[in-house]
Amino acid sequence: MRIAVVKESSGSEPRVAASPDTVKRYVGLGADVVVSSGAGSASGVGDGEYEGAGASVVAD
């Protein structure tokens, strides 16, 4: 199963669809998680945190 976390298109929306903790759980369940680069930046979550949780970070 592949799960994608995309960056919000609205500049006023600071939330992100998944946290690094959630990504870690998905990966632990066997999912392949792909995160758009910068998806968590408005929430203070960097790409490296997602990579550390096991996600692949890709350019938009």
Side-chain angles (χ1 to χ4, degrees), residues 4-24:
V5 179
V6 297
K7 184 175 181 177
E8 288 290 336
S9 59
S10 171
S12 64
E13 179 58 72
R15 294 177 292 180
V16 64
S19 69
D21 288 336
T22 304
V23 168
K24 189 174 184 176

Side-chain angles (χ1 to χ4, degrees):
M1 175 188 309
R2 178 169 284 172
I3 299 171
V5 179
V6 297
K7 184 175 181 177
E8 288 290 336
S9 59
S10 171
S12 64
E13 179 58 72
R15 294 177 292 180
V16 64
S19 69
D21 288 336
T22 304
V23 168
K24 189 174 184 176
R25 290 179 186 162
Y26 289 152
V27 170
L29 292 171
D32 177 27
V33 182
V34 179
V35 179
S36 293
S37 180
S41 61
S43 296
V45 180
D47 291 345
E49 293 179 70
Y50 286 111
E51 290 174 327
S56 298
V57 176
V58 297
D60 292 344

